[in-house]
């Protein structure tokens, strides 16, 4: 098999940090659901998280930003490193090289690789999902409609979600997931989608308003079944301050 | 220079994951101060955090545990991975290989290395600081008496401390840092040492007692200047539950 794609060529030419990869859990919020961006490996029916290698010349953060931009089309992304996965048996080389034999030559698989996990929160409507050189599709999937994932990517996804759930207990979230204006029920549904459980609406609204991170607009959302709810938007300055101080106490 | 120490031999024989290291920020609490364990490189006056390489056969966690046990003599350690440091210019190969020329042959330095950061909380009195093959001393230093550190280790230490400060806002701490029995002022001083600021004693005691993680003993500490304070000890079961749920709200 002649290697022609840039990523494999870079590995072959030792232009990357060996035995190191980067995997990205890209979260979006749509139709009341938390979704994650997945890629399907070329000519196979195997899915994984988007990811890639780290070039010798780039930092981990630069590599993550590059991969995220390539998969989503976005340039300014909310991105956090959350955990590095370093078990020596993260994948079975024999099994995975067989499954993906049409994409990656068998001799190019490392016996093991360490993967740095990043998660990103993006605006669903602005994303243009784009497959990479080794995949033939890149698609959103709801958390309750996930296919089986290759490698330890189910664990990476679960860890990212655990991390996000912990984060939103003391940090604001939504600037990157919600549209510019949103109603209080929409914002609450986002929290419920992340937490995977119902929350008390009255308490929620009280805490959000008290935090000062949202501003009520004069506009109402029309065409809803019940009385028209007001639109809110984020106070970017206050949001940034609370993000910095980590002083939003929730749950 | 003939390589004789086991770590360098392992690197030379490709028994380690290349361009990957692990650095440990080991915190202890003594005499009202938060301290960190440092090593001084053999025959030099240069200090760094304890660290090491990751063998091909071991997981990241196993490598961290191995390094921590070797440096402290402890086997059951509270240990957390907190961040992976991956800037391409984390150290200047020329400068560092010159400073440490008597310890590591120049050709053995990678152009760059990615380092996985772990922090540990240990009981100061139980630690037996032990230098590794490349250092000739291993010592505790208070946070306000730190020497200049090699590589990006000052940043790694600062990041670990930031992480710990964030953690203690919603997780209990102390089981690993305090002796088996302690007074309320001693526990408060531990929090103050971590946070680097004074806290309100009345509010502190109220919150700690409300959390249920400590139990008041019948014994008082004698020989203190003021009235004798009671000893407390941790309720291990409750402590574990609160640690699991992350529901301790503090600061």
């Amino acid at each position: 098999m002649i290697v022609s794609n840039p990523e494999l060529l870079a590995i072959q030419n030792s232009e990357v940090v060996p035995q190191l990869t980067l995997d990205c859990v890209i979260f979006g919020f749509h139709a009341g659901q938390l979704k994650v961006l997945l890629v399907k490996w070329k000519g196979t029916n195997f899915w994984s998280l988007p990811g890639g290698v780290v070039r010798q010349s780039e930092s981990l953060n630069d590599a993550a930003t590059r991969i995220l931009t390539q998969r989503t089309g976005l340039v300014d992304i909310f991105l956090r490193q959350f955990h590095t996965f370093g078990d020596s048996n993260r994948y079975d080389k024999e099994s995975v090289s067989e499954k993906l034999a049409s994409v990656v030559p068998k001799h190019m698989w490392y016996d093991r690789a360490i993967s740095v996990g990043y998660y990103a929160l993006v605006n669903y409507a602005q994303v243009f999902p784009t497959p990479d050189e080794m995949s033939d599709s890149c698609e959103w999937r709801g958390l309750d409609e996930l296919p089986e994932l290759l490698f330890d990517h189910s664990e990476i996804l679960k860890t990212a979600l655990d991390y996000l759930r912990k984060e939103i207990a003391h940090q604001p979230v939504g600037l990157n997931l919600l549209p510019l204006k949103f109603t209080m029920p929409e914002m609450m549904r986002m929290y419920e989608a992340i937490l995977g459980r119902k929350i008390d609406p009255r308490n929620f609204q009280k805490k959000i308003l008290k935090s000062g991170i949202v501003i009520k607009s004069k506009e109402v959302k029309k065409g809803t079944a019940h009385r028209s709810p007001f639109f809110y938007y984020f106070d970017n300055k206050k949001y940034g301050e609370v993000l910095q101080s980590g002083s939003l106490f929730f749950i």
Side-chain angles (χ1 to χ4, degrees), chain A residues 133-153:
Chain A
E133 304 269 346
M134 297 195 219
S135 53
D136 47 27
S137 75
C138 180
E139 295 173 21
W140 288 108
R141 284 295 155 91
L143 290 184
D144 50 4
E145 51 180 25
L146 292 172
E148 200 184 322
L149 299 179
L150 287 170
F151 318 105
D152 57 349
H153 286 192

Side-chain angles (χ1 to χ4, degrees), chain A residues 18-21 85-88 90-91 110-115:
Chain A
Q19 296 188 247
L20 190 82
T21 59
F85 297 83
D87 281 358
S88 54
R90 285 186 50 234
Y91 58 81
Y110 299 120
D111 286 334
R112 84 182 272 199
I114 279 85
S115 182

Side-chain angles (χ1 to χ4, degrees), chain A residues 52-169:
Chain A
V53 290
V54 179
R55 285 163 196 277
Q56 291 287 9
S57 57
E58 68 187 349
S59 71
L60 283 178
N61 284 352
D62 287 347
T65 306
R66 172 176 56 75
I67 292 165
L68 280 160
T69 297
Q70 285 168 354
R71 295 291 77 68
T72 63
L74 302 176
V75 286
D76 194 13
I77 298 178
F78 179 92
L79 170 72
R80 288 280 186 276
Q81 188 201 108
F82 65 96
H83 191 76
T84 295
F85 297 83
D87 281 358
S88 54
N89 59 352
R90 285 186 50 234
Y91 58 81
D92 175 46
K93 184 183 164 181
E94 280 306 312
S95 147
V96 89
S97 64
E98 200 150 306
K99 282 179 180 162
L100 303 178
S102 63
V103 197
V104 181
K106 194 167 176 176
H107 74 274
M108 291 195 72
W109 288 95
Y110 299 120
D111 286 334
R112 84 182 272 199
I114 279 85
S115 182
V116 184
Y118 278 81
Y119 80 85
L121 305 178
V122 300
N123 188 314
Y124 182 89
Q126 289 174 359
V127 170
F128 187 71
T130 309
D132 60 25
E133 304 269 346
M134 297 195 219
S135 53
D136 47 27
S137 75
C138 180
E139 295 173 21
W140 288 108
R141 284 295 155 91
L143 290 184
D144 50 4
E145 51 180 25
L146 292 172
E148 200 184 322
L149 299 179
L150 287 170
F151 318 105
D152 57 349
H153 286 192
S154 295
E155 191 201 332
I156 294 180
L157 172 51
K158 190 189 164 301
T159 308
L161 191 58
D162 285 347
Y163 195 88
L164 178 59
R165 284 174 178 164
K166 220 167 124 182
E167 286 291 285
I168 66 169

Side-chain angles (χ1 to χ4, degrees), chain A residues 202-220:
Chain A
R202 210 166 310 193
N203 208 12
F204 175 81
Q205 176 148 349
K206 211 172 78 184
K207 282 192 177 171
I208 285 291
L209 292 179
K210 196 179 159 210
S211 75
I213 61 170
V214 295
I215 298 170
K216 194 177 184 173
S217 79
K218 286 177 178 150
E219 194 186 348
V220 294

Side-chain angles (χ1 to χ4, degrees), chain A residues 38-41 45-48 137 139 141 147-150:
Chain A
L38 300 178
V39 292
K40 195 172 71 161
W41 286 67
N45 207 19
F46 296 113
W47 293 83
S48 79
S137 75
E139 295 173 21
R141 284 295 155 91
E148 200 184 322
L149 299 179
L150 287 170

